[in-house]
Amino acid sequence: MRILALVPGGIGDQILFFPTLEDLKQNYKNATIDVLVEPRAKSAYRVCPHVKEVLLFDYKDRNGLADYLNLLGIIRDREYDIALTLGQRWTVGLLLWLNGIPTRIGYKTKNSWFISNSVPLKQEQYAADMYHDLLQGLGINNTSPLPKITLLKEDIQWAEAEQKRLDIKESGYILIHGGSSKLALIKGIDKIYPVSGWQKIIDDLQQKQPEIPIVLLKGPDDAEWVTQMKNDRPNLKITQPPDIGKLAAMIAGANLMLCTDSAPMHLSVAVGTYTIALFGPTEVAKLLPPSQDRYIGIQSPTGKIADIKPETVLEQIWRG
């Protein structure tokens, strides 16, 4: 049996879909599972053991007839028995129908004409649970597990060497990710917490626990943020993992992850690190697991992440 999951979105969306893949593999142990994702999300599957092949398609691009015909051929060659789609475009359902996939699962909408097994779309819940609802189309009705990932041995070894380089292996460390996503800003979604706010938080942490190193997580868009953060605070340490597996391994080794709503936040949940995340325009209830003391979301009262007071963050850090 071959199963295809069509999962638009970035790395965070893929991690939130991992529980669905996990349960799918549990219920269809001998099945081959492939995913069709955007190019920017391919790297997420380095830490997912349930998928055989990662196929690429830019869902958000202005795809023409030639693009869809090419995709039609790619899917047809693999002769899938089941397809699950997170997208709600009728064109995707048509594509699956044209391929002759007998079981086509998606959300019930006014445009879900070509879906054979539709399930209710409940957008008010944790996104991983919403994605997991798709399995109801296969008669799987159990509760969704939390996102989990599998770390490769080489990634764990890299993280151990990095901790040794930074001289933090014995002391433990607090990891901070500022969430400097240019893509989000282009979309008009500001998820970047001000440097001045982070600096106040850091100063308090260093005053009360000077023995715990603070490590800044530097991603592709974070160079300016890191430079500003280190200004007058030269004792801050920097790590720049080269891929998602090594990033996850560094997060797994941290005592605490402080971050904004971002892909590293979802990785932190997946490895079980104590996490405090800041939310502005996005919603805590949809992006962090409910009723979990290890994963704390701080929602801006105004919808602007800059309006979260450093004191509010510090209250959560020191509450225990």
Side-chain angles (χ1 to χ4, degrees):
M1 176 180 284
R2 299 202 69 166
I3 301 173
L4 176 65
L6 297 88
V7 192
I11 289 174
D13 296 288
Q14 308 307 313
I15 297 169
L16 289 166
F17 192 68
F18 285 0
T20 304
L21 292 170
E22 178 185 345
D23 261 3
L24 200 55
K25 193 64 177 177
Q26 284 291 325
N27 284 271
Y28 295 89
K29 296 184 186 299
N30 297 320
T32 297
I33 302 174
D34 298 338
V35 291
L36 182 68
V37 305
E38 296 175 38
R40 63 189 174 114
K42 180 181 179 180
S43 61
Y45 289 88
R46 182 183 179 90
V47 293
C48 179
H50 310 299
V51 167
K52 180 179 180 182
E53 189 173 4
V54 181
L55 308 174
L56 303 181
F57 182 70
D58 195 342
Y59 294 91
K60 294 181 174 62
D61 196 11
R62 293 182 177 178
N63 297 295
L65 180 60
D67 299 302
Y68 282 108
L69 288 174
N70 181 57
L71 181 58
L72 184 69
I74 291 171
I75 296 175
R76 179 169 289 167
D77 289 344
R78 287 161 176 79
E79 298 182 345
Y80 292 108
D81 303 285
I82 298 172
L84 300 89
T85 176
L86 268 64
Q88 298 170 45
R89 293 183 179 179
W90 68 270
T91 48
V92 173
L94 173 62
L95 187 74
L96 301 177
W97 178 75
L98 288 172
N99 265 289
I101 300 174
T103 304
R104 303 175 303 281
I105 302 166
Y107 296 113
K108 187 175 184 178
T109 68
K110 62 181 180 180
N111 297 325
S112 54
W113 307 305
F114 299 101
I115 298 299
S116 66
N117 300 29
S118 60
V119 300
L121 175 60
K122 300 177 181 177
Q123 293 178 305
E124 71 284 354
Q125 61 183 325
Y126 179 40
D129 294 341
M130 181 182 74
Y131 296 162
H132 192 269
D133 285 347
L134 286 174
L135 296 184
Q136 294 173 12
L138 292 169
I140 301 170
N141 297 298
N142 59 300
T143 303
S144 173
L146 288 179
K148 293 190 290 289
I149 63 173
T150 299
L151 295 175
L152 301 179
K153 183 178 179 180
E154 64 189 87
D155 294 335
I156 296 172
Q157 291 174 337
W158 183 91
E160 290 174 345
E162 179 74 348
Q163 291 160 13
K164 186 176 181 180
R165 180 186 73 83
L166 295 171
D167 194 23
I168 58 175
K169 190 169 179 60
E170 302 303 325
S171 62
Y173 53 97
I174 295 171
L175 195 60
I176 298 180
H177 178 246
S180 306
S181 171
K182 291 180 180 178
L183 179 60
L185 284 175
I186 291 171
K187 293 180 178 179
I189 303 173
D190 186 359
K191 299 192 286 187
I192 302 173
Y193 193 60
V195 168
S196 59
W198 283 125
Q199 289 174 334
K200 288 179 182 177
I201 293 167
I202 288 170
D203 290 344
D204 190 84
L205 287 168
Q206 292 184 325
Q207 181 182 357
K208 293 178 179 175
Q209 287 193 335
E211 72 283 1
I212 303 294
I214 295 176
V215 181
L216 304 182
L217 183 57
K218 184 178 180 182
D221 299 329
D222 297 324
E224 182 179 351
W225 176 78
V226 167
T227 300
Q228 293 175 342
M229 289 287 285
K230 278 186 67 70
N231 187 30
D232 298 327
R233 292 165 181 81
N235 57 339
L236 295 177
K237 299 176 185 290
I238 311 297
T239 186
Q240 191 172 7
D243 59 57
I244 191 171
K246 296 170 181 60
L247 167 60
M250 279 301 292
I251 294 172
N255 301 42
L256 168 66
M257 174 71 159
L258 293 174
C259 58
T260 58
D261 164 27
S262 58
M265 178 192 76
H266 296 297
L267 284 174
S268 192
V269 171
V271 298
T273 295
Y274 191 86
T275 306
I276 297 177
L278 282 58
F279 288 77
T282 52
E283 298 179 41
V284 173
K286 294 182 179 181
L287 294 167
L288 280 181
S291 304
Q292 294 287 333
D293 291 337
R294 293 189 65 81
Y295 315 120
I296 299 168
I298 300 175
Q299 188 81 57
S300 168
T302 65
K304 295 180 179 179
I305 198 167
D307 289 340
I308 298 175
K309 296 179 180 179
E311 293 78 13
T312 303
V313 181
L314 290 165
E315 283 175 11
Q316 292 297 333
I317 294 173
W318 303 122
R319 69 176 187 157

